[in-house]
Amino acid sequence: MIVHSRSGTRRAALLGSVALPLLFLVSTAYAADKPKPHGDTPAASYEPSMTTLGQMKLEIPGRKPDDPVITAEEFNTAMQIYFERCAGCHGVLRKGATGKALTTDITRKHGYQYLKDFITYGSPAGMPNWGTSGDLTEAQVDLMARYILIDPPQPPEFGMEEMKKTWKLLVPVDKRPTKPENDLQRDNLFSVTLRDSGQIALIDGGTKKIVKILDTGYAVHISRISASGRYLFVIGRDAKVNMIDLWMKEPATVAEIKVGAEARSIETSKFKGYEDKYAIAGSYWPPQYVIMDGNTLEPLKIKSTRGMIYDTQDFHPEPRVASILASHYKPEFIVNVKETGKILLIDYTDIKNLKTVEIEAERFLHDGGFDSTKRYFLVAANARNKIAVIDTKESKLTALIESGGATPHPGRGANIIHPVHGPVWVTSHLGDEIVSLIGTDPVGHPDKAWKVVQNLKALGGGSLFVKSHPKSVHLYVDAPLNPEAEVSGSVAVFKVGELGSAKPKYVELPIAQWAAIPEGQPRVVQGEYNEAGDEVWFSVWNAKDKVSAIVVVDDKTLKLKTVIKDPRLITPTGKFNVFNTRNDVY
């Protein structure tokens, strides 16, 4: 392990850029002034997701006399590339989100040659060099330049009729066990996303053995646990939800449904008296959420999120549902609507007469988590570099905070007790090495509350997750999207008790090196604690045709504890411990 000061000068490779597959058309350069080549960004392999939309065959929208020549076959090929490479940031309808709008009134001003050059060479502002990196051929670059000069197609809607056609109740409730039929230590199970195989692995936290591999949707984004701890819910980026019964002799999917064409979030009701009663899933396309029966996944109520942007009061046709959490203070779901900048507190006591509190926060809402009391919800408006704080007890916006860095990406964040500032919540950033600590104790430390009380410097830009635990003295920060292999294969570890010093140092753990993987450029992502809080698991995420692994670190000593390798561990990314996930421990 290596100890570093805050300087982190060699980490400057990603400063000022956002590691996302963006098509930023913000340059004033003319087509003849080819942008300088931009280094490859691995984020493109993390973000692409719209496999279902990419497989659709849609008609070319109303042709215009001056449209570029493009055949129906070319159009559908370009549409698939766009959905899989670009839509995650620019939106299905190209209205813009994290990335700039790509509507034809904008693209036609720039013209074909400019667009072709921009796609080829990229930009230090975050646009990957699709052409010079080899990700797209010269012919594909030409095709994409022509494609975005044509009005975008609109994929079909996905209402109750379409949803019910996909709903499968594989094991009715009365056919399921009435008590656990296995001796698994369920609270110490890990649900591990096997991104590119469309599966999850259930791994025993004690034995470190794979219990079961289960087929799911593509690239499971998140796993959530029912309040009882019995059911595991996972949602793929293709909007397929699997409900897995952990009581069965061999855990298996008992119900499944598709809630749209693209999605990210799933949650279950947790308030006393409503345990396991409902599940909710939010979609990117169509922009909506659905409340389902918590025991069967039967869709009960679908609500669109289309509407007005909170500040400009302009209509947005594609406000995607980002993260969803269940409140611990009220029978409510907390639903974050990305493009309109609104946070919805949805009362699920009576879904026939649905009551919703709509809170104006900030664009573009992404992910977040609770403070240590679970009263306050902190969520990143990542493209605005802000953190919104919601008081879930009073149902109102408490604060809107500049995050201290470029593009906050906290995951659920991390809660620690700072030696000077008391309880704080932590986020890292995609665009730089800054790790921001935000005070969360308005009673005990009122002068610190809802302020960035300290900025640390970690490994470098490209961080996705921070992690700590109430029983730990450490704070872990990953950097899987950093372009430097040494950085993306390591994690920074701060000792919480030393954060009060003038220049806190971190220890660098060479996780990928410990995994001893001979080929590829494995990236280390998303630390997750076991139930006891004494070990941390990291995914060593490699290409799908190469060896990946999970590295387990002893949290007390920061020494390697074990490496989990198995041919079935294909591109492992997110890991979710049943106990910690169910109880929002982070």
Side-chain angles (χ1 to χ4, degrees):
M1 63 183 69
I2 307 167
V3 178
H4 295 271
S5 70
R6 292 178 56 191
S7 60
T9 54
R10 70 183 178 88
R11 315 303 185 195
L14 220 58
L15 284 175
S17 69
V18 177
L20 289 172
L22 314 181
L23 279 172
F24 281 157
L25 296 178
V26 296
S27 172
T28 57
Y30 293 96
D33 301 325
K34 291 183 172 61
K36 295 179 181 179
H38 177 51
D40 297 346
T41 169
S45 64
Y46 189 82
E47 281 294 320
S49 56
M50 306 189 71
T51 51
T52 301
L53 286 177
Q55 293 163 359
M56 291 180 177
K57 301 297 183 184
L58 301 179
E59 297 294 326
I60 302 176
R63 299 295 297 260
K64 298 175 184 175
D66 56 347
D67 277 352
V69 175
I70 191 168
T71 67
E73 183 179 359
E74 285 180 320
F75 181 83
N76 278 286
T77 298
M79 182 183 68
Q80 179 169 350
I81 293 172
Y82 179 84
F83 285 157
E84 293 182 353
R85 297 282 189 175
C86 316
C89 283
H90 301 284
V92 171
L93 303 181
R94 301 191 211 151
K95 296 289 186 179
T98 305
K100 298 292 185 180
L102 294 175
T103 48
T104 53
D105 60 316
I106 296 171
T107 59
R108 289 192 174 217
K109 286 181 182 178
H110 288 285
Y112 166 81
Q113 189 62 49
Y114 174 88
L115 298 173
K116 182 181 177 184
D117 290 342
F118 215 88
I119 296 169
T120 300
Y121 295 97
S123 159
M127 167 68 176
N129 55 326
W130 295 113
T132 56
S133 69
D135 286 306
L136 296 180
T137 65
E138 186 175 349
Q140 288 174 321
V141 170
D142 161 71
L143 177 58
M144 295 310 296
R146 285 184 283 138
Y147 175 76
I148 60 176
L149 288 167
I150 299 172
D151 288 328
Q154 178 165 319
E157 300 296 323
F158 207 84
M160 186 63 76
E161 181 181 357
E162 291 81 11
M163 210 173 285
K164 283 197 170 181
K165 287 178 181 177
T166 72
W167 174 47
K168 297 178 183 178
L169 185 58
L170 303 173
V171 182
V173 176
D174 61 359
K175 301 296 183 183
R176 299 175 196 169
T178 56
K179 60 182 180 180
E181 293 182 343
N182 59 59
D183 58 0
L184 294 172
Q185 300 299 308
R186 281 176 295 282
D187 272 353
N188 204 27
L189 282 177
F190 286 76
S191 173
V192 180
T193 296
L194 306 181
R195 179 184 169 82
D196 291 322
S197 65
Q199 297 173 317
I200 63 160
L202 286 179
I203 302 181
D204 187 301
T207 66
K208 314 297 190 291
K209 301 294 185 183
I210 294 177
V211 173
K212 187 80 178 287
I213 300 287
L214 294 130
D215 292 333
T216 62
Y218 171 72
V220 162
H221 189 68
I222 198 167
S223 298
R224 298 299 282 171
I225 312 296
S226 67
S228 67
R230 174 174 183 169
Y231 294 115
L232 168 65
F233 295 79
V234 300
I235 188 165
R237 294 183 179 225
D238 57 0
K240 181 179 179 180
V241 177
N242 288 72
M243 178 180 177
I244 298 159
D245 189 351
L246 299 178
W247 280 15
M248 297 177 74
K249 186 175 182 180
E250 284 195 7
T253 295
V254 293
E256 64 181 48
I257 192 172
K258 271 182 64 67
V259 297
E262 161 113 7
R264 291 293 189 280
S265 51
I266 183 83
E267 182 58 292
T268 68
S269 54
K270 291 190 168 69
F271 198 73
K272 187 176 181 180
Y274 294 89
E275 299 93 337
D276 296 17
K277 185 174 178 63
Y278 294 117
I280 182 173
S283 298
Y284 269 25
W285 187 270
Q288 61 192 30
Y289 64 83
V290 57
I291 299 175
M292 301 164 284
D293 185 288
N295 288 291
T296 66
L297 291 184
E298 179 185 3
L300 303 174
K301 193 176 196 73
I302 303 172
K303 291 287 288 182
S304 173
T305 53
R306 291 183 172 101
M308 312 308 285
I309 300 168
Y310 89 96
D311 52 355
T312 64
Q313 298 293 295
D314 294 323
F315 179 77
H316 199 292
E318 193 188 343
R320 298 173 291 178
V321 177
S323 53
I324 303 177
L325 273 77
S327 171
H328 291 264
Y329 274 79
K330 295 180 181 179
E332 292 178 340
F333 292 121
I334 305 166
V335 175
N336 297 281
V337 185
K338 187 181 286 281
E339 279 74 18
T340 56
K342 296 175 180 178
I343 298 172
L344 310 179
L345 305 181
I346 300 167
D347 185 331
Y348 52 72
T349 57
D350 181 4
I351 67 170
K352 291 286 187 181
N353 302 284
L354 201 64
K355 297 177 183 177
T356 301
V357 175
E358 181 181 285
I359 298 175
E360 295 182 353
E362 179 59 283
R363 303 164 72 188
F364 297 86
L365 299 168
H366 188 62
D367 206 354
F370 292 112
D371 76 311
S372 58
T373 70
K374 299 182 176 61
R375 172 174 174 172
Y376 297 97
F377 172 65
L378 296 92
V379 60
N382 56 15
R384 294 288 174 87
N385 301 332
K386 292 182 180 178
I387 302 294
V389 183
I390 301 299
D391 184 340
T392 64
K393 183 178 180 180
E394 299 295 333
S395 301
K396 64 182 182 181
L397 180 70
T398 296
L400 198 59
I401 308 161
E402 293 287 343
S403 72
T407 316
H409 194 287
R412 292 295 187 231
N415 289 299
I416 60 176
I417 305 298
H418 193 282
V420 176
H421 304 299
V424 300
W425 180 88
V426 185
T427 182
S428 56
H429 294 79
L430 277 166
D432 58 35
E433 76 273 42
I434 298 299
V435 180
S436 297
L437 281 57
I438 297 171
T440 60
D441 184 14
V443 176
H445 298 77
D447 58 327
K448 310 289 186 181
W450 320 130
K451 300 174 183 176
V452 175
V453 296
Q454 185 174 14
N455 282 328
L456 310 173
K457 289 189 177 181
L459 291 167
S463 176
L464 289 175
F465 300 104
V466 292
K467 183 61 67 172
S468 192
H469 189 279
K471 297 179 182 178
S472 175
V473 298
H474 294 122
L475 170 67
Y476 296 80
V477 186
D478 69 14
L481 301 187
N482 193 286
E484 293 186 44
E486 181 186 352
V487 176
S488 64
S490 302
V491 296
V493 189
F494 293 90
K495 196 164 186 176
V496 173
E498 297 176 355
L499 293 180
S501 63
K503 293 184 177 181
K505 297 179 179 180
Y506 61 81
V507 169
E508 183 174 347
L509 303 185
I511 303 294
Q513 181 181 322
W514 286 349
I517 294 173
E519 295 183 301
Q521 184 184 333
R523 302 176 184 279
V524 175
V525 64
Q526 203 251 348
E528 175 74 336
Y529 279 84
N530 63 344
E531 180 191 4
D534 59 10
E535 61 186 33
V536 191
W537 294 33
F538 289 97
S539 294
V540 184
W541 160 40
N542 208 352
K544 63 182 178 181
D545 60 344
K546 293 180 171 58
V547 176
S548 290
I550 293 173
V551 168
V552 181
V553 176
D554 187 313
D555 182 60
K556 305 300 181 187
T557 65
L558 300 184
K559 302 288 187 182
L560 173 64
K561 195 166 186 178
T562 190
V563 177
I564 304 172
K565 285 183 178 176
D566 189 293
R568 296 172 291 174
L569 286 179
I570 299 170
T571 57
T573 50
K575 300 164 301 305
F576 303 88
N577 174 268
V578 166
F579 179 85
N580 294 331
T581 302
R582 184 173 84 248
N583 294 287
D584 289 307
V585 176
Y586 34 76

